[in-house]
């Protein structure tokens, strides 16, 4: 169907993991809004499964105050050149 992108999520045999992919070949590199959103969802999923990201999330849950202080010192340490939205965009592959 035109202007529609499908993401397939398939459960692996172990029942504990999955794969996620864009079904339409042209949508994997397409520029339409629906294609870009699907690409972002897949990229976010990949980032959230990254061991470093998982560790960062776990650390934030255990000590949210320290995580906030680390983020703030990082922003102030580089002259305040990176705002929280830029950090999130970089973390999740925003365009």
């Amino acid at each position: 169907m035109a202007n529609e992108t499908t993401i397939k999520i398939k459960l692996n045999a172990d029942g504990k993991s999955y794969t996620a992919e864009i079904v339409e070949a042209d949508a994997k590199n397409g520029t339409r809004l629906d294609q870009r959103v699907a690409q972002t969802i897949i990229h976010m999923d990949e980032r959230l499964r990254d061991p470093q990201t998982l560790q960062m999330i776990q650390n934030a849950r255990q000590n949210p105050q320290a995580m906030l202080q680390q983020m703030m010192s990082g922003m102030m340490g580089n002259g305040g050149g990176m705002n929280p939205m830029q950090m999130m965009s970089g973390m999740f592959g925003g365009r």
Side-chain angles (χ1 to χ4, degrees), residues 30-67:
T31 59
R32 281 194 334 253
L33 180 57
D34 59 307
Q35 295 169 336
R36 291 190 334 242
V37 170
Q39 293 162 15
T40 300
I41 290 168
I42 296 297
H43 185 75
M44 286 176 63
D45 177 65
E46 291 168 354
R47 291 292 302 209
L48 287 171
R49 290 199 250 175
D50 177 30
Q52 282 186 310
T53 304
L54 292 173
Q55 183 65 45
M56 184 180 70
I57 291 169
Q58 183 178 1
N59 290 344
R61 284 182 181 159
Q62 290 174 352
N63 193 348
Q65 186 68 26
M67 186 61 136

Side-chain angles (χ1 to χ4, degrees), residues 60-79:
R61 284 182 181 159
Q62 290 174 352
N63 193 348
Q65 186 68 26
M67 186 61 136
L68 182 60
Q69 288 174 343
Q70 183 180 7
M71 286 175 51
M72 293 304 287
S73 68
M75 286 188 297
M76 297 305 156
N78 66 8

Side-chain angles (χ1 to χ4, degrees), residues 1 3 5-7 9-10 13-14 18 25 27-28 33-34 44-45 47-48 56-57 59 70 81-82 91-92 95:
M1 183 179 284
N3 298 326
T5 300
T6 307
I7 296 175
I9 300 170
K10 184 177 176 182
D14 64 10
Y18 65 91
K28 293 178 183 179
L33 180 57
D34 59 307
M44 286 176 63
D45 177 65
R47 291 292 302 209
L48 287 171
M56 184 180 70
I57 291 169
N59 290 344
Q70 183 180 7
M82 183 176 282
M91 182 175 165
F92 293 113
R95 300 183 197 284

